[in-house]
Amino acid sequence: MRLNYYPSCLKPELTLGTGPHYDPTSLTVLHQDCVSGLQVFVDNEWYSINPNFNAFVVNIGDTFMALLNGRYKSCLHRAVVNNTTPRKSLAFFLCPDKDKVVCPPTKLVDYNNPRLYLDFTWPVLLEFTQKHHRAETNTLQAFSMLLQENNAEAYE
Ligand SMILES: O=C(O)CCC(=O)C(=O)O
Ligand SMILES: [Fe+2]
């Protein structure tokens, strides 16, 4: 769980509350107060999500995307600040047990939908995100390439 507090800022256009990122986890359940700030990146544009104190925003993260073999996509999002009102949000991250292998069900893999990502466990992806945090890059793609390189080396 993460509690975010974004103080107001005299020059909000010069800063970001939380930079653009994909959540690496499976699902994120987000609760916001009544101040807007959350934005998602769709079709090359940032869209503000209206805050609703009585609702949760559920975000698909990279682990869920891998588990569903890319059928649902994780979403690039960020939080911006404003010059009048501080904002608070609460993010509850769901992630797999540490020894569970993230592998899509066979039903989601066939000739037209080949495996997009090699098997991995959550702690390995977590370590990758902690060591190589690169805002706005596609973390899952970069992680997947590393898995493929490691896999190839193991067979050399
Ligand atoms: O504060 C927000 O609305 C977003 C926070 C967020 O994306 C996160 O904590 O991962
Ligand atoms: Fe997030």
Side-chain angles (χ1 to χ4, degrees), residues 116-134 138-156:
L116 292 180
Y117 312 103
L118 294 178
D119 289 356
F120 65 91
T121 56
W122 164 244
V124 180
L125 174 58
L126 180 63
E127 191 190 350
F128 178 81
T129 62
Q130 287 165 346
K131 281 192 181 155
H132 310 261
H133 177 73
R134 286 167 294 182
N138 190 328
T139 321
L140 186 55
Q141 208 56 49
F143 177 63
S144 172
M145 280 165 67
L146 182 81
L147 289 179
Q148 279 169 20
E149 280 163 22
N150 290 349
N151 200 43
E153 272 169 24
Y155 285 97
E156 268 173 17

